[in-house]
Amino acid sequence: MPDVDSERGRTVLTRHVVPLSGLVARGLDVPTALLALRDTRGLAALDSAGGAPRRWSIVAFDPLEDLTYSRDDGRDLADVDRALGRLSFDGDEPPGPFGGGFVGALAYELGVRGERLDLPPPAWPQPVVAGGLYGDWIAIEHAPDGSVADADLVLSSGTGVESIESRSRELLDRLEGAVAARGATDPAAYLNGEPAFCSGAASRHVEPEEHRARIERVREFIGEGEVYQANLAHRLTATVEADALEIYAALRESNPAPYMGYLDVALPDGARGAVVSSSPELLVEIGANGSGQRVARTRPIKGTAGRGATPAEDAARRAALLASEKDRAELAMIVDLERNDLGRVAVPGGVEVSGFPTLESYASVHHLVADVQAILRDDVSALDVLASLFPGGSITGAPKLRSMEVIAELEREGRGFFTGTLGFAGADGRAAFNILIRTLVHRTRLDGTLEVSFHVGGGITWGSDPADEDRETMLKAEGMLAALRRAESAPGGSLAGTPSGDRSGTPPGVLPRVG
């Protein structure tokens, strides 16, 4: 049990770092760690699966305290902040930016702090906060080429090393077994063939004609001066045979991204659920600059073009995206919104923009991005900063509140974790959270049926062409559809057969990378 400082009401944990270098040499990586820990409580991963440089990933398990809140609980991010504020660590200094604290996800319906918005519930019941306080995790360091350079097991205790030694022996045995299991399977078998999609056809819940009509309605709102842009999405579902970890492993192969993540979630209707994300987008990271000041950075994405079939075609599409006045204007509007959001928690004059625009290339698409950074005031916590930005402006539109009202009116159902966020806030004040795009919600119904649900969308401006925008949504869906096909074709549905590696050519960006 942890030590409790009764005078201050704080929980003090002692960290113990157990090197895993020997297992790294034999193939330990994020999928193997997930395989070893798949039956633990609250399994979570923040995974730098694609990109260069790739720095750190974590796999956390067995939370000290569950922090899952439904929409009707009357609790929100401030309650998470209070729980986090009671937690502190001493002992060994762990590797990487996560030193223990909150790991979890926020649903879109958590809304804007301090504002009342009438947002519809999601079609699948989902909590607005899911996660917990973690003192046990595996920290994985990536080499510049994406391979695993080193790893450590971090265990936290308040009663001394005896229980730590027993727990570490058990966990090392698990990891040894998982490494051996994966090594016994031919990874190439995982990619053989192109079977039918899932257990049947994917269901698109908004037909192309209806989605195009909704896009036209957004353009009418823009013409009437209601909004400058709004992000509009639609939902797909499918019945599957693979569990959430198998789909995550396949998504990691088909669509690796710098801000991937996995989180087991208890759904309000009693079903088991999981958030499975291959997000390329950073909502916020918080660390220190060279002068020791606390700094927050957000990196909005706007503008999308599909990859070309040949190097020449790919280069032409990159050039066209960089030259697109529509996409640059869309990015500029969101950058301005994010500057205002960060301005609420920054020192006066402490917000700046850099890299506008920067083109980044992913497995199936190119994007335009920019950096917005802020020097933070001393009186704001990491979760205050997260709340100032949530939901991210790139997936709402501008102005944010009116865009969210337009989205609710046209989409007619909630988004759940889609366009929410997943990441960590450490007890030491550091943090990193993504935006949950390219994200599936997996659920195991009470009758045992396995299902997935995911959304695809894009920012709509006055210059948007409805047919082009609809095609772009399905382009964004392809990475997730490919993962579902691969998960269904895995031999025996086994995570042990999942290959790892980075074939995306993803540009710089890593979760978590702070300081």
Side-chain angles (χ1 to χ4, degrees):
M1 295 294 293
D3 291 333
V4 178
D5 183 338
S6 58
E7 182 179 345
R8 298 181 181 179
R10 294 181 64 83
T11 300
V12 182
L13 297 171
T14 300
R15 292 175 303 217
H16 305 265
V17 175
V18 181
L20 299 177
S21 302
L23 286 172
V24 168
R26 294 167 49 200
L28 178 65
D29 57 9
V30 172
T32 311
L34 288 169
L35 174 64
L37 300 168
R38 67 187 309 163
D39 62 347
T40 58
R41 295 182 305 108
L43 185 60
L46 305 177
D47 187 1
S48 299
R54 288 162 63 178
R55 291 279 305 279
W56 293 96
S57 296
I58 69 167
V59 177
F61 55 97
D62 288 340
L64 302 156
E65 181 180 347
D66 178 71
L67 298 175
T68 298
Y69 308 148
S70 73
R71 194 172 183 181
D72 300 326
D73 282 346
R75 292 182 289 178
D76 57 19
L77 203 54
D79 296 277
V80 177
D81 211 354
R82 282 189 287 271
L84 181 61
R86 295 191 294 268
L87 183 65
S88 63
F89 293 85
D90 58 20
D92 295 341
E93 188 64 29
F98 181 66
F102 175 72
V103 177
L106 312 181
Y108 176 83
E109 283 72 38
L110 190 63
V112 177
R113 176 178 280 186
E115 301 290 344
R116 289 187 175 273
L117 290 170
D118 185 17
L119 301 179
W124 287 12
Q126 296 166 46
V128 291
V129 177
L133 298 181
Y134 288 80
D136 296 344
W137 70 94
I138 295 172
I140 294 176
E141 181 180 5
H142 300 282
D145 65 358
S147 62
V148 175
D150 205 356
D152 293 275
L153 172 64
V154 183
L155 298 176
S156 300
S157 170
T159 58
V161 298
E162 183 176 350
S163 61
I164 291 294
E165 290 175 351
S166 174
R167 290 168 58 207
S168 65
R169 282 195 298 270
E170 177 196 351
L171 290 165
L172 287 171
D173 286 345
R174 285 183 178 223
L175 292 168
E176 289 269 3
V179 168
R182 290 198 70 205
T185 304
D186 176 14
Y190 201 81
L191 301 179
N192 289 340
E194 283 291 332
F197 173 68
C198 300
S199 303
S203 297
R204 176 173 174 166
H205 291 262
V206 177
E207 294 300 322
E209 295 80 7
E210 173 63 20
H211 188 63
R212 291 195 291 265
R214 293 179 181 184
I215 292 169
E216 287 289 7
R217 183 67 184 118
V218 173
R219 294 184 70 250
E220 292 175 7
F221 280 118
I222 294 170
E224 294 163 2
E226 295 284 326
V227 295
Y228 301 114
Q229 65 171 288
N231 186 291
L232 199 62
H234 62 90
R235 186 168 61 95
L236 295 90
T237 58
T239 300
V240 297
E241 296 176 359
D243 71 19
L245 275 177
E246 290 156 357
I247 290 173
Y248 181 75
L251 187 63
R252 197 176 192 271
E253 171 66 22
S254 68
N255 198 42
Y259 305 107
M260 291 195 73
Y262 176 92
L263 181 68
D264 280 333
V265 176
L267 300 178
D269 61 359
R272 297 199 315 273
V275 178
V276 178
S277 179
S278 182
S279 176
E281 186 164 1
L282 175 71
L283 176 58
V284 66
E285 66 178 6
I286 301 170
N289 62 15
S291 302
Q293 297 167 304
R294 293 174 65 227
V295 175
R297 178 172 76 108
T298 185
R299 206 152 193 261
I301 288 176
K302 277 296 167 189
T304 301
R307 300 296 301 262
T310 65
E313 182 183 357
D314 200 52
R317 292 188 177 185
R318 288 167 57 96
L321 181 58
L322 278 168
S324 168
E325 292 185 9
K326 169 191 174 293
D327 291 308
R328 291 170 70 102
E330 189 176 351
L331 180 62
M333 282 187 278
I334 298 306
V335 164
D336 191 53
L337 187 156
E338 304 287 40
R339 287 177 60 194
N340 291 334
D341 285 349
L342 279 178
R344 295 198 291 270
V345 291
V347 300
V351 182
E352 64 178 19
V353 178
S354 61
F356 178 89
T358 299
L359 187 139
E360 293 188 344
S361 301
Y362 296 85
S364 58
V365 296
H366 301 293
H367 285 306
L368 294 183
V369 303
D371 270 25
V372 186
Q373 300 185 49
I375 299 172
L376 299 175
R377 300 197 318 265
D378 292 338
D379 63 329
V380 296
S381 70
L383 292 178
D384 288 332
V385 179
L386 175 62
S388 76
L389 289 162
F390 189 83
S394 65
I395 47 75
T396 59
K400 181 180 286 188
L401 295 179
R402 183 61 183 132
S403 293
M404 292 178 71
E405 290 172 341
V406 168
I407 289 167
E409 176 182 333
L410 296 179
E411 293 184 4
R412 303 174 197 163
E413 65 179 23
R415 292 175 165 186
F417 288 113
F418 171 68
T419 61
T421 186
L422 170 66
F424 79 85
D428 60 2
R430 292 182 289 181
F433 287 87
N434 71 5
I435 292 183
L436 285 171
I437 57 176
R438 318 290 198 274
T439 294
L440 300 141
V441 174
H442 184 285
R443 72 175 178 181
T444 304
R445 291 171 49 176
L446 299 181
D447 65 2
T449 302
L450 306 180
E451 299 175 307
V452 294
S453 174
F454 66 94
H455 294 70
V456 286
I460 309 303
T461 67
W462 176 253
S464 293
D465 176 85
D468 288 345
E469 295 288 350
D470 186 71
R471 280 192 293 269
E472 182 181 303
T473 66
M474 298 312 295
L475 177 66
K476 292 174 178 175
E478 181 50 38
M480 288 175 286
L481 298 177
L484 294 172
R485 289 192 292 267
R486 287 178 176 180
E488 292 297 318
S489 66
S494 172
L495 184 68
T498 307
S500 62
D502 179 6
R503 296 180 174 87
S504 68
T506 312
V510 65
L511 175 65
R513 184 187 181 191
V514 292

